[in-house]
Amino acid sequence: WVLNTDADEFWWPQGAGLGEVLAAIPARYGVVRAAWRNFVPRPDDGRSFSERMTARLRTPAFHHHPLSTHSKSAHRAVPDVRIGRGNHEAFGEGLLPLRGWYPLEILHFPVRSLEHSVRKYVTQFVALERNTEKGIPNHMAEAHKAYRAGGLEQFYEPLVVDDDALARGLEDGSLALDTRLRERLRALGFGNSADPQAAEVRSSNSLLQGAPSDFGRLDVAAAAEFAAESSALEESDFALALGARIEELETRVGRLERGAWKRVGRVVRRGMRR
């Protein structure tokens, strides 16, 4: 299996491990989806992002925004695979997607600080502006507009969730506290050095000695929440399915047209020889 992932994504299987989940995929399917769980930026106090960013967005929507809902694809290894823009889709012989099931979460930290935001977007915009045929992706349009106006700070600041906004979000249900990545990194020896867990010697950690890594299954309430969030992906998944079908039909039509022109050419050449 191949995971087309980015550095700001942490794939989190529901179960004992990634291998267990992928081994359960029926053989006729070659692609399985993982759903983004987006974490919002918090005020930068000098700590690492995993220590600060423990607030997760619970109101997903498929729209053009850095914190938009989306999914990524894990696929079986095939020689003719084609990866869509943004690494969201995989196409190839035998890569039938298993739709409607998201056994993998992706803990996603797309915007982590002002410094990171500037570095991330400026680097991408410089490259994209040189490659004009691709254009600026829709979810970056707002940031690109701010960049061209010299004000990426004005784009970033409204994304930050301070303590007051966090309290309101927890109360109205738009945000949830999710410390899974923080605790896992602490257990591996990263994160808050003042925490006894983070100070453990790495060699003594069972996770680094080949022991099974139990990521845990969601309880009923958390599973229902995840299902509700994942339902926002159905619209985009339907559009992607139609897009793949249209691409397939266009390929077939192209083959038929090329075949028809070849036949016409043969008839013309025979007529000219006469």
Side-chain angles (χ1 to χ4, degrees):
W1 285 85
V2 179
L3 277 62
N4 295 290
T5 187
D6 296 332
D8 58 7
E9 298 172 343
F10 296 82
W11 291 55
W12 197 276
Q14 295 180 22
L18 186 61
E20 179 190 52
V21 170
L22 296 177
I25 308 300
R28 68 184 294 256
Y29 295 101
V31 175
V32 67
R33 300 279 171 55
W36 271 351
R37 311 295 298 278
N38 289 315
F39 287 72
V40 297
R42 296 273 286 135
D44 191 354
D45 58 7
R47 293 181 298 163
S48 69
F49 76 93
S50 62
E51 292 289 324
R52 293 182 292 109
M53 294 176 60
T54 57
R56 175 170 48 77
L57 199 61
R58 293 184 62 194
T59 54
F62 192 76
H63 60 292
H64 303 314
H65 189 272
L67 297 176
S68 171
T69 300
H70 218 316
S71 64
K72 301 294 280 286
S73 295
H75 65 86
R76 299 186 191 275
V78 296
D80 66 338
V81 65
R82 292 175 291 109
I83 303 301
R85 188 172 188 177
N87 298 328
H88 295 289
E89 288 297 313
F91 307 96
E93 186 69 28
L95 295 186
L96 179 67
L98 179 55
R99 301 188 184 279
W101 183 47
Y102 300 90
L104 304 167
E105 299 174 71
I106 297 178
L107 310 186
H108 188 213
F109 301 80
V111 183
R112 300 187 287 280
S113 68
L114 176 59
E115 179 186 3
H116 164 256
S117 181
V118 171
R119 185 172 65 249
K120 170 181 178 176
Y121 285 115
V122 170
T123 300
Q124 292 189 65
F125 291 152
V126 169
L128 288 168
E129 287 179 349
R130 290 175 179 171
N131 193 4
T132 54
E133 67 272 12
K134 284 192 173 182
I136 303 297
N138 289 327
H139 72 281
M140 292 185 179
E142 187 178 345
H144 183 254
K145 182 179 179 180
Y147 161 69
R148 297 295 295 174
L152 264 177
E153 294 84 355
Q154 284 69 41
F155 163 78
Y156 171 77
E157 289 301 330
L159 300 177
V160 177
V161 174
D162 61 19
D163 290 345
D164 291 338
L166 175 60
R168 292 193 299 271
L170 294 175
E171 183 176 359
D172 65 22
S174 60
L175 295 172
L177 290 179
D178 188 333
T179 62
R180 287 178 292 174
L181 181 65
R182 185 190 71 184
E183 299 309 318
R184 179 51 58 97
L185 290 180
R186 284 183 177 183
L188 291 171
F190 301 99
N192 184 4
S193 59
D195 190 285
Q197 282 186 297
E200 291 180 358
V201 179
R202 288 172 61 86
S203 61
S204 67
N205 195 305
S206 63
L207 293 176
L208 302 178
Q209 296 177 340
S213 176
D214 186 4
F215 286 81
R217 288 180 171 82
L218 300 177
D219 60 27
V220 173
E225 176 189 336
F226 182 43
E229 292 184 22
S230 300
S231 65
L233 295 171
E234 296 301 320
E235 179 182 348
S236 64
D237 198 32
F238 179 67
L240 289 169
L242 285 179
R245 182 60 175 164
I246 290 171
E247 183 179 5
E248 179 185 354
L249 291 173
E250 288 177 342
T251 300
R252 291 183 178 180
V253 170
R255 289 172 181 168
L256 290 172
E257 289 177 342
R258 288 193 296 272
W261 280 112
K262 286 181 180 179
R263 289 193 294 273
V264 170
R266 286 196 295 269
V267 171
V268 170
R269 286 193 294 272
R270 283 199 298 268
M272 293 177 65
R273 285 197 293 269
R274 292 176 183 173

